[in-house]
Every structure is written in C-alpha cells, then in structure tokens.
Amino acid sequence: MKTFNTTLKALGAAVLLGSVSLLAAAPASAQTLSDVLAKVRQDANQMSTEDQARLKQFQADTASQAASMATARNALAAAEGRARTLSAEFDANEAALGALEAQVSTLAGDFQEMLGQFRSAAGATMPEIANSVANFDYKDRVAGIAEIAEARVLPNRGQLERLPKAMLQEMIAQSEVKTFTAVVNGIGPDGSNAEAELIRVGVFTAATVDGRKFVEVRKGEGSETFLQVFARQPSGNYASSIGSLVNAGEGAVVKAPVDPSKGNLFGILGDLPTFQDRLRHGGEVGYTIIVIAVIGILLGLYKMFMLFTQGAAMRNTAKTRQAGTSNPLARVLEVYESNRSRDIETLELKLDEQILKESPKIEWGLDIIKVFAAVSPLLGLLGTVVGMIITFTAITIYGAGDPKLMADGISTALVTTVQGLISAIPLVLIHAVASSMARSNQQILDEQAAGLVAEKMESLHGARA
C-alpha cells in the first residue's frame, strides 16, 4: 500500500509539471494527493482572477481610446469647417481686393499711367545713381526710390518727387569737387574696412585725402554697392594731381584726373606693367644686360673724365714745356731732357719708346667698352630666342586659344631686345667719344714729340752752320 501511494504521488507530480497553466511543483509540505489537488485548484482560481482583471483593464483602455478618437474626429471636423470658412473668406477678400484695385485703376486714370512711367524711369535711373560716387555722399537716395517703385499702393506727390530730385542732385554732383566721409573696403592697415575722408571730382573720380589712393564703386550682393580701393593704383602723376587738388585753395585752378568711365580707365592704368615689372619680364638675360650696361657706362664716363683731365694737363704742359711725371707729355719731355745730348736717331727712338709706353695707358678701357657695346645686343637677341622658346612651349602645352598664356614669352622676347638696344646705344656713343678723346691725347704726344725732334735738328743744323 505504501508503495502504491508513492507511485500515485509521482504520477501527480508528473501531471502537474506537464500542465500549461501550472509550472510549479507541489510543495514539499503536500504529503497526499488531496493536498496536491487542492493546491492545483487554488492556483487555477488565482489565474482566473488575474485574467479577469486584465480583461477589464483592456476593455477600459479600448473605451478610452474610442473616446479619444471621437474627440480627435470632432476636432478635425471643426478645423475643416473653419478652413472652409477661412477659404471662403479669403476668396471673398481676393474678389473684393480685385474689385478695389480695378476701382483704383479706374479712379487713378492718368495718375496710374504716370506711376508706370515713374517705375520705368526709376528702373533705368537707379543703377546709374547706385553706381555713382555721389551716392555715398548723398545717401539713402536709392532706397527711397526703390521703396516707391516696388510699392503696391499709390505714392503721394512728395514721394514721386524723390526721383526728379535725385536726378537733379546727380547732375549737380557732376560739377562738384568736394570732400565727404564714407566707409572704404581695403583702406585699413591690414586690408580691412575703415571710414576715410574722400575727395571726389564730379561723379567720375574719388580718392582718399590723406593716402591719395583712388577708389572705385563695386557691386556687392544683390543691388548693393560699396567703395573699394584699387588693387593697383595708377602711376604717380595721377596721385600728385590729386594732391595738388587737395592742397589747392578756394578759387584756384589746378589739373585733376577725371575718369569718364567711372573707374574702368584707372583700373586699366593700374594693370599696366610698371618699370619694375618690365625688368622682371626680362628674366636673367635682362638682368645680365642691365649689369653690363651699368658697368660699361660707369667705366665709359670714368674714362672720359680721365681723358678730359689728362688732355687738359697735356695741353698745359705743351705750353709750359715743364718735364715731370704728372701726365704722359710731361714724361715724354722728361725723356727728352734725359736724352737731349744724344744724336737725333737715338733721341727719336727714345721718344717713340716713351710714346709706345703711354699709348696703352691712354687707350685702357676702350676695348672693354667696345666689347660691352657689342655683347649687349647679342644678349638681347639671346633673350628674344628664349622668349620665343617659352611662347612656343606654352602653345604646345595649352594651345593658342588664350593669348595670355603666350604673353610671358613674348614679353621676355621684346623686353630683352629693348634692353639690349638701350644698353648698346649709349655704350657705342661713349666708346666713340672716349676713342676720339684718346686719339686727341695721342695726337698731342705725337705732335710734341715731332716738334722736339724738329727743334733738336734745327739746333744741330744751326750749330753746324
């Protein structure tokens, strides 16, 4: 019997473990099958109670969501009704506005046509006024005209008078020379914007009073304009003209630069290459020509000065017949005095020997100047060939579509050619003058030596007679 009870307990435990609703095994305190059955019933009742609670909660949530949905639908219906009302009101207002505009057009009559002409004239005039230097002197003109031109309501008489007043003011500004203050881009020490005092000549030219830098009107975003310093200023004579204008007294008449294109010509003048740019275009060949020209000209001038002073000293010695070592003729006379007692042939040979010694000193440097005068145009020709090589290389790589790509090579060719000619011309002239002066000094030596020999022969013939 005891074994049978044990077997029933084991079977009851297996049934409980296989059930879906009961997962826990019978407690250790359950000793009989009745206890197990009671426990199972208790758990089943507890789970049934929990299920009922969950069901009630779900039903309550469903009712709440249905109520929220109904509220949202009611709000949507109310919004749609309000939208239909507003749409109908908007359509009615549009119709009323169209009727009022038609009525305004009818009542305006010629005034409406005049307003159209005003807007047309404003559209054609505003760009000219906006791009004028005087616009930064007489401010807020463009904004006032644009406000009227873009308005949908009819302007009054005072507003319509802004355009003719602005045009008349622009015409008066064309004849004015005055100073004003405005913000200029790039005027600061670090290239920043700063306020500066400017002087304008009509509506064509404007420049700073202190730095004398020319400014131009540039377009910004949209229709806005601003003053900008030229990246490269025109040459110095224009700045000096502005300086004269700034320093001129009232009623004085001075020359002032005027750019009728309102900045375009000054921009072109600023882009023109300067003397330093020309030298840089010559490259290494150009710098070599310059060095040769400077050395040759300095040497030529020095040689001309020495020959001039030497010739003056020799002419003075020819008058005084004072022997010495101060100049070639004095040294020739010194040789004559030293060999005066010798025979004619020996004396003549001694004088010729001294003249041969003095000739290289007189002609020293002339050959160097001559070589420099001959080498300079050859170097210019070399620069021309180098420039042509650069040009054809650019054509080979980039094609001939853009002339700017060939400009560097052509500029090198032309600049070196000019430099070679400019260097050779003064060197040739200096060499010619210096050679003439050297021949003149040489001739003085020959004449004086021949005169000394002649005097010696006359003295010998007189003694024999």
Side-chain angles (χ1 to χ4, degrees), residues 87-283:
S87 177
E89 184 178 353
F90 179 80
D91 293 338
N93 290 336
E94 282 289 325
L97 181 60
L100 292 175
E101 289 179 349
Q103 184 179 1
V104 168
S105 299
T106 303
L107 295 177
D110 296 338
F111 188 78
Q112 187 71 22
E113 183 179 355
M114 184 183 68
L115 180 60
Q117 294 178 356
F118 173 87
R119 290 174 176 172
S120 177
T125 307
M126 282 174 54
E128 293 295 330
I129 297 177
N131 295 327
S132 172
V133 177
N135 188 47
F136 298 89
D137 189 6
Y138 307 112
K139 301 177 181 179
D140 300 329
R141 296 186 302 170
V142 176
I145 299 173
E147 180 182 356
I148 304 170
E150 297 173 0
R152 298 186 63 181
V153 297
L154 293 177
N156 54 37
R157 180 176 178 178
Q159 292 174 330
L160 288 176
E161 290 178 350
R162 293 179 184 177
L163 179 60
K165 287 182 178 179
M167 296 173 65
L168 181 61
Q169 194 176 51
E170 186 71 12
M171 288 186 288
I172 296 174
Q174 293 180 1
S175 62
E176 291 179 334
V177 177
K178 59 178 297 189
T179 59
F180 64 98
T181 303
V183 176
V184 182
N185 291 9
I187 198 67
D190 55 348
S192 59
N193 303 344
E195 194 173 67
E197 186 178 6
L198 305 174
I199 184 170
R200 64 177 177 86
V201 180
V203 296
F204 310 104
T205 305
T208 58
V209 172
D210 51 356
R212 294 168 188 173
K213 296 181 179 180
F214 290 91
V215 300
E216 62 175 337
V217 180
R218 291 279 189 89
K219 291 183 179 180
E221 298 181 356
S223 59
E224 295 182 358
T225 57
F226 59 92
L227 292 176
Q228 174 73 43
V229 175
F230 282 102
R232 296 185 61 177
Q233 294 290 320
S235 58
N237 55 338
Y238 296 100
S240 61
S241 299
I242 286 293
S244 302
L245 180 63
V246 172
N247 299 326
E250 186 176 356
V253 179
V254 296
K255 292 182 178 180
V258 175
D259 185 358
S261 64
K262 300 181 180 180
N264 292 333
L265 292 180
F266 278 167
I268 295 173
L269 290 174
D271 292 335
L272 291 178
T274 61
F275 181 73
Q276 290 78 9
D277 295 333
R278 297 292 190 189
L279 296 181
R280 188 173 61 254
H281 289 162

Side-chain angles (χ1 to χ4, degrees), residues 271-411:
D271 292 335
L272 291 178
T274 61
F275 181 73
Q276 290 78 9
D277 295 333
R278 297 292 190 189
L279 296 181
R280 188 173 61 254
H281 289 162
E284 297 178 357
V285 177
Y287 290 126
T288 304
I289 295 174
I290 293 173
V291 171
I292 289 177
V294 171
I295 295 175
I297 291 173
L298 291 178
L299 178 60
L301 295 177
Y302 171 76
K303 187 62 181 178
M304 291 171 61
F305 174 76
M306 295 301 297
L307 290 172
F308 176 78
T309 56
Q310 186 184 75
M314 290 171 63
R315 284 186 288 271
N316 185 42
T317 302
K319 294 178 181 180
T320 61
R321 293 296 181 92
Q322 181 66 38
T325 59
S326 60
N327 58 75
L329 182 57
R331 289 189 287 271
V332 169
L333 291 174
E334 183 70 21
V335 172
Y336 173 77
E337 295 295 335
S338 301
N339 298 278
R340 191 169 188 176
S341 59
R342 298 192 178 188
D343 58 281
I344 296 297
E345 290 78 6
T346 302
L347 179 60
E348 187 175 1
L349 290 175
K350 289 291 185 179
L351 293 176
D352 289 341
E353 181 185 4
Q354 185 61 36
I355 291 173
L356 290 175
K357 289 182 181 179
E358 298 295 337
S359 294
K361 298 178 183 178
I362 295 174
E363 295 177 354
W364 178 86
L366 296 179
D367 291 338
I368 299 176
I369 299 173
K370 185 177 181 180
V371 170
F372 284 173
V375 168
S376 294
L378 294 178
L379 287 175
L381 180 60
L382 174 62
T384 303
V385 175
V386 171
M388 290 297 98
I389 291 174
I390 296 173
T391 301
F392 286 115
T393 301
I395 293 174
T396 302
I397 297 175
Y398 304 106
D402 189 358
K404 291 183 178 181
L405 298 175
M406 300 180 288
D408 289 339
I410 297 175
S411 178

